[in-house]
Structures are given as structure tokens and as C-alpha cells.
Amino acid sequence: FGPVWEKDLARYLCHVIVGQQLSSSASRTIWGRIEERVEKKHGRVPHCLDAGRLRGLRACGLSRAKARSMLEIGKAARSGKLDVKKLKRLSHEKRMEALQEIWGVGPWTADVVSMFYFQEEDIWPGGDISARNALFRFLPRRPGEKRLTQIVEKFAPHRSIFALYLWRSSGGEE
């Protein structure tokens, strides 16, 4: 996967949240606005993630839910819940549980963080519609969940890489 593009997990989580269900172009535009606003007023993204910043985040183009998620990520970072060393030692399942305690962080986000931030090679993002649809294009018929799980299991211990190839084959980005 290459080096992690961010060392700050709170910032990385925020970036993932911003990009959910948006085109890459829209995501880059909104993230650029956030960085510009934050640099002018607060310095760095994690430092702006407190309760008094909702309006400013919304002004950058975030939905209320995404802005709230970012504020909750900030709260988790300040409370020590985003301790990278502790999270890295956890299994993916335990890490998912810990991350999903943060409002707005669901299974897909936790999978993406494990795959790209923690560089785990064997994560299948089962809730990712793009990866699933790309896989379905290579199958003679759409499998049920049990059969889909069996197919994906064949790619262990490299399911993250498999998902990445599927995303790329569909023209998507991670």
C-alpha cells in the first residue's frame, strides 16, 4: 500500500468521513475548504474539532452529520480513544469496535482505516458497494451472502489488496 499519507489518525478519520458518498472531486473541494478555514483560524484540523466549530465546518460544505462526526472524532482524540499504538495492537475486529464507539464511524470507515491507515492486508470491506459490484461483474451470477463470503475468503490473507484491485477495476478510488 505504501506509506500512510497522514500520521494523525483524527485527521485521517476526518478525511475519510468527508469523502464518504461523494465523488473524489467534491471530496477534494470540501477538504480543501476545511484545510483553508482551519489554517486561518486554528492551525491544524484536529485542533478545530470542538463543539463550537459546527457552523464553520458546515460552511465548508459538510452535512450536519459529517460535521458532527468530525467533532466527535475530535472529542475521541482528546480523550485518548485514538491512541494509534493501542489501536494498532488490536485485532481488526476489536479496532472496529473501538472506532465505532465514535458517533458517525461505521463498519465501512473502520475497514478503510484498518486497510489504509494501519495497512492491514487482509480486510474485506463487506459493506462497500463499489467493491461488491465490481466483484459481481466477474461472476456469472450474483451470489448470496454465504457464497460471497466463500469467494472472498479465497483471497485471504490479501483481501485488502483484492478490494483495491476491484475498486480500481471499476474506475473508483480508495
Side-chain angles (χ1 to χ4, degrees):
F1 289 115
V4 175
W5 68 270
E6 292 281 348
K7 294 196 185 317
D8 187 309
L9 181 55
R11 183 180 176 93
Y12 186 83
L13 264 169
C14 288
H15 197 268
V16 172
I17 293 290
V18 167
Q20 290 175 349
Q21 300 176 338
L22 292 178
S23 70
S24 297
S25 175
S27 175
R28 277 191 299 273
T29 298
I30 292 171
W31 188 255
R33 288 180 195 150
I34 291 167
E35 286 187 319
E36 184 179 319
R37 183 178 188 95
V38 166
E39 285 176 13
K40 284 181 183 175
K41 297 186 178 228
H42 312 289
R44 295 184 59 230
V45 170
H47 302 290
C48 78
L49 302 177
D50 60 45
R53 311 286 185 227
L54 182 66
R55 187 179 306 148
L57 292 171
R58 296 270 295 130
C60 293
L62 289 177
S63 67
R64 181 172 294 283
K66 286 184 181 188
R68 179 176 173 202
S69 275
M70 288 181 65
L71 297 179
E72 293 297 326
I73 289 165
K75 190 185 307 180
R78 287 188 299 279
S79 74
K81 288 183 180 180
L82 294 181
D83 182 308
V84 173
K85 289 179 183 174
K86 287 181 185 175
L87 289 169
K88 185 157 184 64
R89 288 192 299 262
L90 297 176
S91 68
H92 173 60
E93 291 74 21
K94 292 291 185 188
R95 186 182 310 124
M96 280 185 75
E97 288 175 20
L99 291 173
Q100 288 181 88
E101 289 177 7
I102 303 168
W103 190 94
V105 175
W108 181 87
T109 305
D111 284 342
V112 167
V113 168
S114 283
M115 290 171 72
F116 296 103
Y117 187 88
F118 290 103
Q119 299 184 347
E120 301 258 349
E121 291 187 9
D122 196 30
I123 307 299
W124 171 249
D128 188 275
I129 301 300
S130 295
R132 292 169 67 98
N133 286 341
L135 176 57
F136 295 156
R137 286 195 339 262
F138 296 103
L139 301 174
R141 64 183 166 278
R142 196 178 198 104
E145 284 302 311
K146 184 176 179 182
R147 180 68 183 127
L148 179 62
T149 299
Q150 291 171 339
I151 292 167
V152 170
E153 283 295 319
K154 292 179 182 182
F155 291 89
H158 306 291
R159 289 175 285 188
S160 298
I161 295 166
F162 178 56
L164 186 59
Y165 277 113
L166 290 171
W167 282 324
R168 297 270 166 90
S169 77
S170 65
E173 298 179 35
E174 70 276 359

